[in-house]
Amino acid sequence: WRSVKQENIYISGYSSLREAQSGLEDYFDLYNMARPHQSLSNEIPYIVYTSWAGVFIWTAILADVGSPHTPYL
């Protein structure tokens, strides 16, 4: 949350809740869809998530095959 506060909230000076909500939506779109992150080897979070999401989902499904707690099989 430090990034949100330092890069958006403190410098924006929102005057209403509606304005803050709109500004934060824009910030989170930029933060997750366009801004490279050093912790992700300068990749964009959305790209990393979408490229790996399918792998993680199928890995979890295949690990649960045969489990009595697998609701989707």
Side-chain angles (χ1 to χ4, degrees):
W1 290 105
R2 186 185 76 208
S3 295
V4 174
K5 292 185 287 184
Q6 290 179 347
E7 296 175 11
N8 186 273
I9 294 173
Y10 295 153
I11 62 174
S12 296
Y14 297 120
S15 59
S16 70
L17 184 57
R18 185 173 298 205
E19 185 181 335
Q21 182 177 2
S22 177
L24 287 170
E25 286 174 1
D26 292 343
Y27 175 78
F28 284 123
D29 283 345
L30 171 71
Y31 189 84
N32 291 316
M33 306 281 199
R35 178 179 172 217
H37 289 238
Q38 185 177 9
S39 64
L40 300 174
S41 300
N42 289 320
E43 293 290 336
I44 297 168
Y46 177 77
I47 300 299
V48 172
Y49 174 77
T50 56
S51 65
W52 285 98
V55 173
F56 290 135
I57 291 168
W58 281 109
T59 302
I61 290 171
L62 293 175
D64 272 347
V65 170
S67 168
H69 303 292
T70 308
Y72 38 78
L73 293 176

